[in-house]
Amino acid sequence: QPGFLRMYQFAFQENEIKLLTAEIERLKNFGCLGVSPSLEGLRDENAKLKYRLNFLKKSLQEERSKSVKSMININSCLQEIFGAAIQAAYPDLENPPLVVTPSQQPKFGDYQCNSAMGISQILLKTREQKVIPREIAEKIAKNIPANECIEKVEIAGPGFINVHLRKDFVSKQLSSLLINGVQLPAVGKRKKVVVDFSSPNIAKEMHVGHLRSTIIGESMCRLFEFAGHDVLRLNHLGDWGTQFGMLIAHLQDKFPDYLTVSPPIGDLQAFYKESKRRFDTEEEFKKRAYQCVVLLQSKNPDFIKAWNLICDVSRKEFQKIYNCLDITIIERGESFYHEMMKDIVKEFEDKGFVQVDDGRKIVFVPGFPVPLTIMKSDGGYTYDTSDLAALKHRLCEEKGDILIYVVDSGQSVHLQTVFAAGQMIGWYDPKVTRVAHAAFGVVLGEDKKKFKTRSGDTVRLIDLLEEGLKRAMDKLKDKERDKVLTPEELKAAQTSVAFGCIKYADLSHNRLNDYVFSFDKMLDDRGNTAAYLLYAFTRIRAIARLANIDEQMLRKAAREEVLVLDHEKEWKLGKCILRFPEILQKILEDLLLHTLCDYLYELATTFTEFYDSCYCVEKDRQTGQIVKVNMWRLLLCEATATVMAKGFDILGIKPVQKM
Ligand code: ARG
């Protein structure tokens, strides 16, 4: 019990009791605060208590040292500071607007607080007080509490508060980043995050829409994992439903000995097309197909075997793509939920939400014009039913705190209706659990029409990836990289560029918009592309190497050298590096990954500005010999590279040593 700490005040200070109480709550969430086996062995009550207190003290210390090691989100620090200042200046203002952003130009300082304008309006509206924003800004500025990051503030224009950061603060943060690596600020309670992504359909082709979902979903998972959450990556395969009836019926005809020999279905799509043609034209076949569905759904072993065979063919194809793109995902298709669907229908019926319409069972959800169909007139279940079952399972069995569906915008109404139905029936409260559709637009060809091959066929994903590889190699040869790299290095650069570019092109566009797929654009080594960033990265990493400074020397320097930020470009770069946590924390909220790409591009260009005007290594003009190494600048290079590497990792892009 948290209260028991009060009885042992002698062991702790007041603030420690607070922290420990919070710690107990946190451990309870993990379920580790029951009686652990090691505690059972301790007979003596006092010994138990001592053990437990020590355990808590230790985890408290760990937590503390972690917060020292992790990066600081400067933006939210400033928000806290200004929040306190506004609170002190206007104590009885409820929820005053709190706006802090990085400044666009050096003359406006490093960050800006723009709350004064909003407060002025509130005072006018709610109290009929006319106060000019400048006056409010001044009052806020006077109330800024003591802190370690602000050097000074200035009031500018109508009432902007320009913030100048302290050099030693920024410099210390950079040193800590170099010593401890990139770590996000602690997240509070570790959350269970379920991400539904990729999710192609068996027997039908995996198309570019699924490619988008795969790329965005993988990256989303990596981000939440990096933030310290527990992520469940789910492939909601379309592996169940009436089309399997015709596939199995066709399999029985084509490969009658499928129970003993694995049938060589090379091209499952052709197989699917054939069976569909027969289904539409042959009356007898159609009848048999329906019987097959019934037998499959009653889990007849032969039919399950046939179904598995068909699924395996698709699975292997999907896996090839996942291997190329380094995707980790577990399969939990629609079939997984089959047994639960009966109960779902019953639950909706019991609670009085079901209407019968022409033999179908439908559910109207307030605010949504089209009802969900939870049972067809033939007794079969639908995409709606399986999504309801999946939603409930993810909420109630998996105990997800955050559910994310990375699915094309075309399914928005379907998903929103399913989510609203889940709330209506009481499965979750949106104030507690976050259920989000991370929607994305369609992929277009360079002609701005639906993405197709020249002959008008849909593009097979594996062919697309192959072409990416070929084009990447052409580009590398174009740039004569084959003359400087070993064959292994060239191959590594080829895959890194090809798959990196395909992923980055997708991720760097706002997912909500449609996006034009263009190999030429994504392989351009100028502008906001993976080709540019990967190249910039290898160059940064090479700077220290070419000056014969190895990792160990850099690590030593990080502890001993002060990072001087006197040059305007050093200052700009240093601040840019430290914005990484605020970028990631924003994405955790809005799920828009392109901001990370924009940031990495800005970081790379800011680095170039720095590198063009600040010598890292000084050489003799005549002999080319190194005469001076400016270690603190090499450390800035290193900090840039560290953050870029982490950014690439989240985007699922693999940088190479040489390119
Ligand atoms: N298989 C579906 C399709 O290809 C996507 C599934 C998305 N996830 C979900 N829970 N509905 O369109």
Side-chain angles (χ1 to χ4, degrees):
Q1 296 298 315
F4 92 116
L5 283 170
R6 294 264 155 226
M7 294 156 51
Y8 291 85
Q9 286 193 5
F10 58 85
F12 302 100
Q13 286 159 4
E14 184 60 30
N15 65 334
E16 283 185 323
I17 292 191
K18 253 198 215 143
L19 286 164
L20 281 171
T21 310
E23 178 68 3
I24 292 176
E25 286 304 322
R26 204 173 70 90
L27 291 170
K28 269 195 189 158
N29 284 326
F30 282 130
C32 22
L33 208 65
V35 180
S36 60
S38 49
L39 275 180
E40 287 285 32
L42 301 173
R43 283 284 151 90
D44 176 5
E45 281 301 311
N46 269 331
K48 266 188 206 169
L49 200 60
K50 235 169 143 183
Y51 177 92
R52 210 171 265 193
L53 289 177
N54 270 332
F55 173 68
L56 288 172
K57 232 179 164 167
K58 223 174 82 200
S59 51
L60 176 69
Q61 274 158 5
E62 265 164 27
E63 197 65 32
R64 270 196 203 131
S65 64
K66 191 171 164 233
S67 65
V68 173
K69 280 184 186 164
S70 57
M71 289 181 84
I72 286 181
N73 177 340
I74 297 179
N75 200 329
S76 46
C77 267
L78 292 174
Q79 290 206 18
E80 255 169 55
I81 292 169
F82 278 100
I86 293 169
Q87 166 75 24
Y90 297 95
D92 30 54
L93 214 56
E94 253 179 66
N95 290 328
L98 190 53
V99 207
V100 177
T101 56
S103 300
Q104 293 308 323
Q105 291 176 42
K107 64 175 176 194
F108 299 137
D110 305 314
Y111 281 81
Q112 281 184 322
C113 170
N114 304 336
S115 295
M117 281 61 81
I119 293 176
S120 160
Q121 276 175 8
I122 292 178
L123 291 179
L124 187 64
K125 260 193 220 133
T126 61
R127 301 186 197 167
E128 290 177 15
Q129 279 177 18
K130 240 186 157 163
V131 193
I132 55 164
R134 246 193 116 86
E135 212 173 285
I136 297 171
E138 261 150 31
K139 198 162 170 191
I140 296 173
K142 274 204 196 86
N143 280 287
I144 292 175
N147 64 78
E148 53 169 354
C149 48
I150 300 178
E151 169 76 38
K152 62 169 191 213
V153 298
E154 288 157 353
I155 317 285
F160 300 110
I161 308 175
N162 297 341
V163 180
H164 296 262
L165 296 175
R166 281 173 57 165
K167 282 235 161 85
D168 59 341
F169 167 75
V170 171
S171 163
K172 241 196 260 151
Q173 293 303 318
L174 289 165
S175 299
S176 152
L177 164 68
L178 286 161
I179 295 165
N180 302 309
V182 191
Q183 293 187 37
L184 279 193
V187 282
K189 187 188 161 233
R190 185 178 151 97
K191 293 201 167 119
K192 175 83 177 248
V193 185
V194 180
V195 185
D196 175 324
F197 70 108
S198 195
S199 308
N201 304 313
I202 300 284
K204 295 187 200 161
E205 89 219 73
M206 183 169 177
H207 53 71
V208 278
H210 296 120
L211 181 67
R212 281 207 93 175
S213 173
T214 307
I215 292 172
I216 297 171
E218 169 70 29
S219 190
M220 209 90 94
C221 294
R222 285 169 181 244
L223 174 65
F224 277 88
E225 278 159 5
F226 180 53
H229 297 296
D230 173 15
V231 179
L232 180 63
R233 302 151 165 257
L234 293 186
N235 201 351
H236 192 79
L237 277 189
D239 64 353
W240 203 244
T242 34
Q243 86 263 28
F244 281 95
M246 61 187 206
L247 281 165
I248 294 173
H250 192 49
L251 181 75
Q252 289 174 327
D253 292 349
K254 276 236 130 154
F255 304 106
D257 53 355
Y258 70 89
L259 286 172
T260 44
V261 202
S262 217
I265 316 174
D267 192 341
L268 193 54
Q269 269 169 67
F271 189 83
Y272 178 83
K273 273 192 199 144
E274 255 171 66
S275 63
K276 174 93 174 94
R277 190 185 44 76
R278 291 186 67 191
F279 184 85
D280 292 338
T281 54
E282 297 172 28
E283 213 32 59
E284 185 276 334
F285 182 83
K286 190 171 180 172
K287 238 191 243 154
R288 200 154 49 82
Y290 277 124
Q291 285 160 3
C292 289
V293 178
V294 176
L295 286 162
L296 176 65
Q297 302 215 335
S298 62
K299 304 262 160 103
N300 174 308
D302 287 358
F303 286 79
I304 291 286
K305 165 109 204 215
W307 170 72
N308 263 322
L309 282 170
I310 292 165
C311 289
D312 273 343
V313 181
S314 280
R315 229 171 246 139
K316 283 201 194 99
E317 290 301 308
F318 300 154
Q319 198 52 47
K320 274 189 211 154
I321 304 210
Y322 297 149
N323 290 347
C324 279
L325 297 176
D326 199 10
I327 306 297
T328 309
I329 191 162
I330 65 166
E331 184 182 324
R332 193 180 280 177
E334 292 175 32
S335 65
F336 176 86
Y337 304 98
H338 186 242
E339 295 300 317
M340 299 163 217
M341 297 196 208
K342 188 168 85 248
D343 296 337
I344 295 289
V345 174
K346 186 164 181 306
E347 187 174 345
F348 275 92
E349 277 177 329
D350 288 351
K351 295 199 173 147
F353 289 122
V354 174
Q355 291 176 24
V356 178
D357 172 68
D358 208 10
R360 303 177 307 147
K361 291 186 180 166
I362 58 172
V363 172
F364 274 98
V365 184
F368 294 88
V370 184
L372 296 170
T373 298
I374 60 171
M375 193 186 260
K376 292 189 291 186
S377 51
D378 65 4
Y381 303 118
T382 68
Y383 191 49
D384 291 346
T385 333
S386 63
D387 256 325
L388 285 169
L391 176 65
K392 184 170 185 195
H393 190 264
R394 290 164 190 182
L395 291 165
C396 304
E397 303 298 321
E398 293 298 348
K399 307 231 178 319
D401 301 298
I402 302 177
L403 312 186
I404 301 172
Y405 290 69
V406 188
V407 182
D408 65 274
S409 311
Q411 302 195 35
S412 178
V413 175
H414 160 75
L415 288 173
Q416 294 305 340
T417 317
V418 168
F419 299 165
Q423 287 170 46
M424 176 175 84
I425 201 160
W427 292 340
Y428 77 101
D429 173 358
K431 284 195 214 81
V432 182
T433 308
R434 177 168 182 208
V435 181
H437 176 201
F440 55 82
V442 291
V443 183
L444 304 172
E446 285 183 85
D447 54 0
K448 305 268 162 71
K449 292 200 191 108
K450 212 174 159 210
F451 194 66
K452 289 261 155 91
T453 62
R454 282 219 186 99
S455 56
D457 292 332
T458 39
V459 182
R460 287 182 53 207
L461 279 195
I462 203 77
D463 296 343
L464 189 81
L465 299 182
E466 287 289 334
E467 179 164 359
L469 281 172
K470 193 186 148 296
R471 297 248 200 160
M473 186 53 95
D474 291 349
K475 190 88 189 185
L476 286 162
K477 288 193 172 154
D478 231 30
K479 302 261 164 189
E480 306 200 319
R481 305 317 291 162
D482 51 335
K483 305 222 166 84
V484 279
L485 299 179
T486 67
E488 290 77 35
E489 286 168 344
L490 189 66
K491 179 102 191 61
Q494 178 196 19
T495 37
S496 161
V497 169
F499 302 143
C501 284
I502 292 175
K503 288 181 178 182
Y504 192 86
D506 199 322
L507 294 167
S508 61
H509 289 87
N510 184 327
R511 62 174 163 75
L512 294 165
N513 302 333
D514 293 347
Y515 119 85
V516 177
F517 191 97
S518 156
F519 274 124
D520 290 334
K521 281 218 186 84
M522 63 179 81
L523 289 166
D524 197 342
D525 53 9
R526 292 153 304 174
N528 188 4
T529 65
Y532 168 77
L533 287 176
L534 285 166
Y535 188 54
F537 180 79
T538 52
R539 272 176 42 219
I540 300 172
R541 272 277 144 92
I543 296 168
R545 202 177 54 230
L546 295 176
N548 295 321
I549 307 288
D550 63 21
E551 230 174 275
Q552 215 173 353
M553 290 154 92
L554 282 173
R555 224 175 298 139
K556 186 161 172 286
R559 289 180 193 277
E560 291 165 3
E561 289 263 338
V562 176
L563 273 108
V564 196
L565 300 166
D566 286 343
H567 194 286
E568 167 211 353
K569 299 294 181 191
E570 292 171 340
W571 180 237
K572 187 172 172 192
L573 178 61
K575 284 183 303 174
C576 187
I577 294 169
L578 294 183
R579 266 180 40 227
F580 193 51
E582 70 193 49
I583 300 293
L584 295 190
Q585 281 179 329
K586 183 161 175 290
I587 305 175
L588 288 168
E589 273 151 41
D590 63 20
L591 310 177
L592 293 170
L593 286 155
H594 69 277
T595 9
L596 176 54
C597 299
D598 290 347
Y599 166 75
L600 290 176
Y601 183 58
E602 187 187 330
L603 182 60
T605 50
T606 308
F607 178 85
T608 306
E609 279 178 38
F610 152 82
Y611 194 64
D612 286 347
S613 35
C614 300
Y615 284 112
C616 294
V617 178
E618 293 174 31
K619 288 182 184 163
D620 185 295
R621 270 175 207 275
Q622 253 97 65
T623 63
Q625 280 216 325
I626 296 171
V627 288
K628 189 164 169 255
V629 173
N630 294 323
M631 205 56 173
W632 80 95
R633 287 185 177 153
L634 283 187
L635 289 175
L636 273 175
C637 298
E638 184 61 19
T640 308
T642 311
V643 164
M644 278 182 93
K646 194 69 229 176
F648 286 154
D649 189 30
I650 291 169
L651 297 174
I653 293 172
K654 283 198 191 124
V656 275
Q657 274 278 339
K658 284 188 183 166
M659 197 168 138

